[in-house]
Amino acid sequence: MKDQAARLREMAYQVRQQIENELRQQNRHARVIAISSGKGGVGKSTLALNLALNLSSQGKKVLLLDADMGMANLDIMLGIVPKYNLFHLIQGKKNLDDIIIAGPQGVSIIPGGSGIQEMADLPAEDIKRLLAELGRLDYYYDYMLLDTGAGISQNVTTFLLAADDAIIVTSPEPTALTDAYGVLKSMHRSSYTGGIYLVVNRANDDSEGIFVGEKLKMVAQKYLDLEVVNLGYIINDSAVMEGIRRQQPFVEIYPHSRAARNIAHIARHLLESSGDILLTGTQEIRPNGVRNFFRRIVNSLK
Ligand SMILES: Nc1ncnc2c1ncn2[C@@H]1O[C@H](COP(=O)(O)OP(=O)(O)O)[C@@H](O)[C@H]1O
Ligand SMILES: [Mg+2]
């Protein structure tokens, strides 16, 4: 009698666990992070690719979307020639699995391509189908990193505002800093509510990296009332250029380089401050995910 009751309790417990797991799975959302900058050529693609690899090596499932419409170049950085891109999916000519490329160290890549505006112009039924398809990415990935263009053109701003978080990259040059401030200002004007992170790239030494980041953070707080998290800096390192030349991510070919250690620091800081590594007192900040990201894009382009 007692045995049977215990068995029933055990069964009920397992059923509850299973239902809870399924519910959690349904509510799962990838964290969508747009990587952007004010000025071009400051290292967005370099950061996107190498950060993706580091997160992946820590067991996170990462998808990289090349969303720099004018200057898509993740494929060049990896020496791959993509057959299809997001545009083929939007046109309904290919499905999700056809356009996703298996990149290094388990990172998935969706090549860029134009066509985002076309997405908004599709009949409502097609948009619904497309969003459902893209929403499948939420079940599988922990992160979707967007390599976006530079500046505050509508194209870039649309991506920035639709994402959960933004990483703004700048170099220490005054022109790059002024333009980075311009992006922050435009986010402030658009009442952006996501997380804002900062990375200083091509610092000449550690103190410059720290100083420039902290200064921009303080200026954003003082003049824009924006809370910016300074994730860290990347040293100007020949390993980075060598990686570009060899069409391989530098964290892979030079894992002990200073730049690779900088990336590891940035990744750790990102995981901590977004609540993905729970420290005492921190809270998990729930992302809206991939499906909502594309839904917001469609809505803002309409
Ligand atoms: N930390 C660094 N050290 C040395 N060179 C760098 C570094 N970051 C970027 N570069 C150089 O700058 C170029 C532009 O970087 P990239 O990531 O393509 O910029 P963006 O995507 O912002 O246009 C790269 O080709 C590389 O040669
Ligand atoms: Mg780029």
Side-chain angles (χ1 to χ4, degrees), residues 8-22:
L8 282 173
R9 264 202 307 278
E10 174 63 16
M11 258 169 72
Y13 175 76
Q14 278 175 1
V15 168
R16 257 199 322 272
Q17 287 273 303
Q18 200 180 335
I19 292 171
E20 261 174 32
N21 273 342
E22 276 169 21

Side-chain angles (χ1 to χ4, degrees), residues 41-46 201-202 234-237 240-241 244:
V42 294
K44 292 178 295 296
S45 303
T46 305
N201 185 27
R202 307 198 78 162
I234 308 166
I235 288 286
N236 199 30
D237 188 339
V240 179
M241 273 181 268
I244 304 264

Side-chain angles (χ1 to χ4, degrees), residues 38 47 86 108 178 253 258 277:
L47 175 69
L86 195 59
S108 302
T178 310
I253 48 174
R258 289 181 76 192
I277 292 178

Side-chain angles (χ1 to χ4, degrees), residues 285-301:
I285 305 149
R286 305 208 90 203
N288 288 305
V290 178
R291 188 196 171 111
N292 282 316
F293 167 75
F294 283 103
R295 196 174 46 78
R296 285 175 180 176
I297 287 183
V298 168
N299 288 344
S300 80
L301 290 178

Side-chain angles (χ1 to χ4, degrees), residues 45 68 73 147:
S45 303
D68 188 347
N73 53 18
D147 182 12

Side-chain angles (χ1 to χ4, degrees), residues 141-260:
Y141 291 100
D142 300 307
Y143 285 91
M144 178 163 90
L145 301 186
L146 306 172
D147 182 12
T148 77
I152 49 172
S153 68
Q154 203 216 338
N155 233 332
V156 179
T157 319
T158 304
F159 284 124
L160 264 185
L161 297 182
D164 291 306
D165 303 302
I167 301 179
I168 306 300
V169 187
T170 182
S171 66
E173 275 89 56
T175 45
L177 278 167
T178 310
D179 291 352
Y181 183 77
V183 174
L184 293 173
K185 197 164 157 186
S186 124
M187 291 169 88
H188 168 68
R189 281 216 197 100
S190 314
S191 310
Y192 177 80
T193 55
I196 307 178
Y197 300 100
L198 192 69
V199 168
V200 176
N201 185 27
R202 307 198 78 162
N204 288 304
D205 51 41
D206 297 318
S207 58
E208 184 182 50
I210 295 166
F211 179 77
V212 169
E214 284 307 304
K215 190 169 169 192
L216 187 52
K217 176 187 157 83
M218 276 171 61
V219 169
Q221 187 166 43
K222 184 162 179 207
Y223 296 103
L224 302 173
D225 198 23
L226 276 185
E227 209 49 63
V228 175
V229 178
N230 180 12
L231 287 182
Y233 57 89
I234 308 166
I235 288 286
N236 199 30
D237 188 339
S238 58
V240 179
M241 273 181 268
E242 190 55 22
I244 304 264
R245 207 182 58 76
R246 286 172 53 182
Q247 295 189 305
Q248 275 173 292
F250 68 82
V251 294
E252 201 172 36
I253 48 174
Y254 298 112
H256 302 296
S257 61
R258 289 181 76 192

